[in-house]
Coordinates of all heavy atoms in Angstrom, one line a residue:
A1485 N 1.8 -19.3 2.0 CA 3.2 -19.0 2.5 C 3.6 -20.0 3.6 O 4.7 -20.5 3.6 CB 3.2 -17.6 3.1
V1487 N 2.5 -23.1 3.9 CA 2.7 -24.4 3.2 C 4.1 -24.4 2.5 O 4.9 -25.4 2.6 CB 1.6 -24.7 2.2 CG1 2.0 -25.9 1.3 CG2 0.3 -24.9 2.9
A1489 N 6.8 -22.6 3.3 CA 7.8 -22.7 4.3 C 7.9 -24.1 4.9 O 9.0 -24.6 5.1 CB 7.5 -21.7 5.4
R1491 N 7.2 -26.9 3.5 CA 7.8 -27.8 2.5 C 9.3 -27.6 2.4 O 10.1 -28.6 2.3 CB 7.2 -27.6 1.1 CG 5.8 -28.1 1.0 CD 5.2 -27.9 -0.4 NE 3.9 -28.4 -0.5 CZ 3.0 -28.0 -1.3 NH1 3.3 -27.1 -2.2 NH2 1.8 -28.5 -1.4
A1492 N 9.7 -26.3 2.5 CA 11.2 -26.1 2.5 C 11.9 -26.7 3.7 O 12.9 -27.3 3.6 CB 11.4 -24.5 2.5
S1495 N 12.1 -30.5 3.3 CA 13.1 -31.0 2.3 C 14.5 -30.7 2.8 O 15.4 -31.0 2.1 CB 12.8 -30.3 1.0 OG 13.1 -28.9 1.1
G1496 N 14.6 -30.2 4.0 CA 16.0 -30.1 4.6 C 16.6 -28.7 4.5 O 17.7 -28.4 5.0
A1498 N 17.0 -25.0 5.6 CA 16.8 -24.3 6.9 C 15.6 -23.4 6.8 O 15.4 -22.8 5.8 CB 18.1 -23.5 7.3
P1500 N 13.4 -20.4 6.5 CA 13.7 -19.0 6.1 C 13.0 -18.0 7.0 O 13.2 -16.8 6.9 CB 13.1 -18.9 4.7 CG 11.9 -19.9 4.8 CD 12.4 -21.0 5.7
D1505 N 10.3 -10.1 18.2 CA 9.2 -9.3 18.8 C 7.9 -9.8 18.4 O 6.9 -9.1 18.1 CB 9.3 -7.8 18.3 CG 10.7 -7.2 18.7 OD1 11.2 -7.5 19.8 OD2 11.2 -6.3 18.0
K1507 N 6.9 -11.2 15.8 CA 6.5 -11.0 14.4 C 7.4 -11.9 13.5 O 8.6 -12.0 13.7 CB 6.7 -9.6 14.0 CG 5.7 -8.6 14.6 CD 5.9 -7.2 14.1 CE 4.9 -6.3 14.8 NZ 5.1 -4.9 14.3
S1514 N 15.6 -9.3 -3.0 CA 15.5 -8.1 -3.8 C 14.4 -7.2 -3.2 O 13.4 -7.7 -2.7 CB 15.1 -8.4 -5.3 OG 16.1 -9.1 -5.9
V1519 N 3.7 0.0 -6.8 CA 2.6 0.9 -6.9 C 1.3 0.2 -7.1 O 1.2 -0.5 -8.1 CB 2.9 2.0 -8.0 CG1 1.7 3.0 -8.0 CG2 4.2 2.7 -7.7
A1526 N -8.9 1.1 2.4 CA -9.4 1.4 3.8 C -8.3 2.2 4.5 O -7.1 2.0 4.2 CB -9.7 0.1 4.5
Y1528 N -10.0 5.0 4.1 CA -10.5 6.2 3.5 C -11.7 5.9 2.6 O -12.7 6.7 2.6 CB -9.4 6.8 2.6 CG -8.1 7.1 3.3 CD1 -6.9 6.5 2.9 CD2 -8.1 7.9 4.5 CE1 -5.7 6.8 3.6 CE2 -6.9 8.1 5.2 CZ -5.7 7.5 4.7 OH -4.6 7.7 5.4
A1547 N 6.6 -3.8 5.2 CA 7.2 -4.4 6.4 C 8.3 -5.3 5.9 O 9.3 -5.6 6.7 CB 6.2 -5.2 7.2
L1548 N 8.3 -5.9 4.7 CA 9.3 -6.7 4.2 C 10.5 -5.9 3.6 O 11.4 -6.5 3.1 CB 8.7 -7.7 3.1 CG 7.8 -8.8 3.6 CD1 7.2 -9.5 2.5 CD2 8.6 -9.7 4.5
G1549 N 10.3 -4.6 3.5 CA 11.4 -3.8 3.1 C 11.2 -3.2 1.7 O 12.0 -2.4 1.2
V1552 N 6.5 1.1 -1.1 CA 5.1 0.9 -1.6 C 4.3 2.2 -1.6 O 4.4 3.0 -0.7 CB 4.4 -0.2 -0.7 CG1 3.0 -0.5 -1.2 CG2 5.2 -1.5 -0.5
E1564 N -5.1 13.0 7.6 CA -3.7 12.7 7.6 C -3.0 13.1 6.3 O -1.8 13.3 6.2 CB -3.5 11.1 7.6 CG -4.0 10.5 8.9 CD -5.4 10.0 8.9 OE1 -6.1 10.2 7.8 OE2 -5.9 9.6 9.9
S1569 N -0.1 20.6 -3.5 CA -0.2 21.7 -4.4 C 0.1 21.4 -5.8 O 0.3 22.3 -6.6 CB 0.8 22.9 -3.9 OG 0.4 23.3 -2.6
S1573 N -4.3 17.4 -15.2 CA -5.6 17.1 -15.8 C -5.5 15.8 -16.6 O -4.4 15.4 -17.0 CB -6.1 18.2 -16.6 OG -5.3 18.4 -17.8
P1582 N -9.9 18.0 -13.9 CA -8.8 18.4 -13.1 C -8.4 17.3 -12.1 O -9.3 16.6 -11.7 CB -9.2 19.7 -12.4 CG -10.7 19.5 -12.4 CD -11.1 18.8 -13.6
H1587 N -1.2 13.7 -0.2 CA -0.3 12.7 0.2 C -0.4 12.4 1.7 O -0.6 13.3 2.5 CB 1.2 13.1 -0.2 CG 2.2 12.1 0.2 ND1 2.9 12.2 1.4 CD2 2.6 11.0 -0.4 CE1 3.8 11.2 1.4 NE2 3.6 10.4 0.4
A1588 N -0.3 11.1 2.0 CA -0.3 10.7 3.4 C 0.8 9.6 3.5 O 1.0 8.8 2.5 CB -1.6 10.2 3.9
K1590 N 1.8 6.5 6.1 CA 1.6 5.8 7.4 C 2.0 4.4 7.2 O 1.9 3.8 6.2 CB 0.1 5.9 7.8 CG -0.9 5.2 6.9 CD -2.3 5.3 7.5 CE -3.2 4.3 6.9 NZ -4.4 4.1 7.5
V1593 N 4.0 3.3 4.2 CA 3.4 3.3 2.9 C 2.9 4.7 2.5 O 2.4 5.4 3.3 CB 2.1 2.4 2.9 CG1 1.4 2.4 1.5 CG2 2.5 0.9 3.2
Y1595 N 0.5 7.1 0.5 CA -0.9 7.1 0.0 C -1.1 8.4 -0.8 O -0.9 9.5 -0.2 CB -1.9 7.0 1.1 CG -1.9 5.7 1.8 CD1 -1.1 5.4 2.9 CD2 -2.7 4.6 1.3 CE1 -1.1 4.2 3.5 CE2 -2.7 3.4 2.0 CZ -1.9 3.2 3.1 OH -1.8 2.0 3.7

Side-chain angles (χ1 to χ4, degrees):
V1487 171
R1491 287 180 181 156
S1495 67
D1505 300 326
K1507 292 183 180 178
S1514 298
V1519 177
Y1528 308 123
L1548 291 173
V1552 183
E1564 296 93 2
S1569 298
S1573 65
H1587 180 260
K1590 67 176 197 170
V1593 177
Y1595 293 88

